[in-house]
Amino acid sequence: MARSGGRERGAYHHGDLAAALVRATLEIVDEVGVRGFSVAEAARRTRVSPGAPYRHFADRDALLAAAALEVSRRLRAIHLEAMATASSPHERLAAVAGSYVRAAAVHRGGFDLLFAPGLRAHHLELRDSTREFIDLLLPSAFEVVPSEQGAKAAVGLLEALSAVARGYVALLLDGVFGEPGAVAAEVAARATRAARALVDGYGLPDTAAS
């Protein structure tokens, strides 16, 4: 007897099974974390057989990497939107810290994916996404850092800025300030202020050392 319509439990209903599996992966990671994720559960949620995902992804890590790359794309779009409304390079860099926190409140599990051990080591596209993010911010960093300090100082500024933003994200997701969704705007404002102070003071002479 032929299966209903010749279809594999709705595999073609989505139109793009790979994209549907990525969406399911992000949902699952939000709920149970990276360690609790299974390809079988992603298949169940997309209503396909347990083996169907392997037609698109070589293994579990390949699906997780694809989901991480999707988070990276979303994060880049959020940063671009925040930077577009800033009036100066200082404000563009500070705005990214705030947008990072707001994004973390929405894509909580996605941030675990972005920094999951091993994924970046084996999936070059994730490392490429990091370089694209740096390329996005470097022009503003070069405008902020005194020209005589050069590229090393500009990259150092971005490293410091990342530390501030990721620190606030960690505090947010750990519930230090309260329920992440409820306090995201407030914490984003704090992160923006801290980043602004960092950027404004970066490259100035160290008066304590003189």
Side-chain angles (χ1 to χ4, degrees):
M1 179 184 293
R3 287 177 292 187
S4 178
R7 297 183 179 185
E8 183 182 13
R9 296 201 307 169
Y12 304 101
H13 171 73
H14 301 285
D16 187 345
L17 179 56
L21 287 165
V22 166
R23 289 193 296 271
T25 298
L26 292 174
E27 291 174 1
I28 296 165
V29 170
D30 264 346
E31 295 167 11
V32 299
V34 177
R35 289 187 178 182
F37 170 77
S38 73
V39 177
E41 176 60 15
R44 187 191 69 79
R45 294 195 185 195
T46 49
R47 302 191 301 280
V48 295
S49 70
Y54 297 104
R55 299 174 188 171
H56 299 273
F57 303 99
D59 53 26
R60 176 180 182 272
D61 276 2
L63 178 49
L64 287 173
L69 193 60
E70 175 61 23
V71 174
S72 182
R73 292 191 190 101
R74 295 179 186 181
L75 189 58
R76 179 183 174 85
I78 291 169
H79 288 331
L80 284 171
E81 183 178 359
M83 293 172 70
T85 61
S87 58
S88 70
H90 291 70
E91 287 301 313
R92 284 196 291 274
L93 293 174
V96 165
S99 65
Y100 203 71
V101 171
R102 288 190 296 273
V106 176
H107 304 293
R108 302 182 195 186
F111 274 65
D112 290 337
L113 269 176
L114 283 176
F115 305 110
L119 282 184
R120 289 183 179 276
H122 298 99
H123 294 274
L124 296 180
E125 65 272 23
L126 290 178
R127 280 186 275 175
D128 289 342
S129 72
T130 299
R131 284 193 289 269
E132 290 173 2
F133 178 65
I134 293 173
D135 290 344
L136 176 68
L137 300 180
L138 262 180
S140 295
F142 276 121
E143 290 187 68
V144 167
V145 172
S147 58
E148 65 272 13
Q149 294 188 16
K152 185 175 181 180
V155 172
L157 171 56
L158 295 185
E159 290 174 350
L161 191 65
S162 175
V164 169
R166 289 179 65 176
Y168 271 100
V169 164
L171 292 173
L172 174 76
L173 297 183
D174 284 347
V176 171
F177 300 106
E179 200 286 316
V183 299
E186 175 191 346
V187 178
R190 292 189 187 192
T192 301
R193 287 194 297 270
R196 186 180 295 118
L198 168 69
V199 174
D200 288 346
Y202 205 86
L204 293 179
D206 186 356
T207 55
S210 59

